[in-house]
Amino acid sequence: MLTGTLSAGYPGRVLGPIAPATLAIRDWDVTSDSLVAMVTDDQLAAINALPASDVELQLDLTLVRLRAPADAHPSMTAQARHRVDAATWSARLDQLGAAVALTVRVPTPLVGHDGESSGLTRIGEHLREARRHLENHRHRESAASCRLALELLLECEEIPEKPTTAELASGARRSVPEPRRWLLLLRATVELAHLSHHAAGTASDVRWRRTATESLLATTAALVNYYIDPHRTPLPA
């Protein structure tokens, strides 16, 4: 049985465990010709975040010999390194296509731009709840949890009333400051999330599919990250 951990970069940054593998061996010689390490979405994102252009991978391996003879050592360790040049790595990512994922991480405990965490704890709870619903294919419930998180964000961060979309008309687009554009995105996301709440009218015909729910959850998490950032540009008075 072969187990181990995957690291990347120098010094090695541990990304996580590799998938355990059962190997056929004869006198410690592996009779199969390849080993496979499963890289999760989180591990892939961590590798892509490394500054070096080439990808340096390292496997720290432990091999446990099942039913080893009495005179044989039951286990051994080894380290394997492999360099993947930037062009090859990029080509491999292109081959993955839609399997490449983006992970949005929200720091916990949540702390607002004013340094306070009171009231923001529930936002984190709603985000975790939305993720659980998504994992269990309860898409409308996941969208509803996103809506609750967004409404709490509006309340906790004291975000002002909805701006008019005329601010982004062709004649005024360049004069709209960046914080106001983020506010427009936030309000549009809140309106989208409200489709999970109303039981009558157009909202009753909305079918929350996985791709739509994933997009809403990712956008909600990204907006939470933006608005709790103490260094963000405040809205003009």
Side-chain angles (χ1 to χ4, degrees):
M1 177 67 68
L2 184 68
T3 58
T5 57
L6 176 67
S7 304
Y10 289 109
R13 174 183 178 183
V14 177
L15 302 176
I18 65 170
T22 302
L23 304 176
I25 63 174
R26 186 184 302 275
D27 296 328
W28 291 109
D29 291 327
V30 179
T31 58
S32 58
D33 60 358
S34 63
L35 298 176
V36 176
M38 301 297 294
V39 181
T40 65
D41 289 341
D42 284 351
Q43 290 172 340
L44 187 61
I47 293 173
N48 289 337
L50 295 173
S53 55
D54 292 345
V55 178
E56 301 279 354
L57 298 177
Q58 176 178 304
L59 288 171
D60 293 284
L61 304 171
T62 299
L63 181 64
V64 178
R65 189 171 181 178
L66 305 178
R67 296 187 296 275
D71 59 345
H73 199 280
S75 66
M76 67 176 297
T77 60
Q79 190 177 84
R81 291 180 178 177
H82 183 65
R83 176 192 291 268
V84 184
D85 65 85
T88 301
W89 181 257
S90 179
R92 293 294 183 267
L93 291 181
D94 289 342
Q95 290 176 1
L96 286 175
V100 178
L102 173 66
T103 301
V104 179
R105 297 186 181 277
V106 178
T108 56
L110 292 177
V111 178
H113 68 278
D114 56 358
E116 296 293 330
S117 61
S118 176
L120 294 177
T121 301
R122 287 181 295 163
I123 295 178
E125 292 173 352
H126 287 309
L127 287 175
R128 287 190 289 271
E129 185 180 57
R131 185 179 63 182
R132 286 194 298 269
H133 284 317
L134 179 63
E135 291 171 349
N136 290 288
H137 308 288
R138 296 193 294 266
H139 299 148
R140 180 176 291 275
E141 291 83 352
S142 178
S145 295
C146 289
R147 173 182 59 82
L148 294 173
L150 290 166
E151 290 177 346
L152 278 171
L153 180 64
L154 291 172
E155 176 183 338
C156 294
E157 294 299 295
E158 299 180 352
I159 296 172
E161 290 300 316
K162 176 180 179 181
T164 138
T165 53
E167 290 182 284
L168 290 185
S170 57
R173 188 172 299 149
R174 293 183 179 180
S175 63
V176 178
E178 176 197 343
R180 185 70 63 178
R181 294 170 186 264
W182 279 99
L183 181 56
L184 285 167
L185 176 60
L186 173 60
R187 287 296 183 177
T189 306
V190 171
E191 293 298 322
L192 176 62
H194 268 91
L195 292 178
S196 66
H197 179 58
H198 302 293
T202 306
S204 62
D205 299 326
V206 174
R207 294 184 179 180
W208 284 97
R209 302 188 184 277
R210 185 175 184 87
T211 51
T213 312
E214 284 179 341
S215 299
L216 176 61
L217 178 54
T219 305
T220 301
L223 285 167
V224 170
N225 266 346
Y226 172 78
Y227 276 100
I228 66 173
D229 181 4
H231 303 295
R232 70 177 172 87
T233 304
L235 278 167

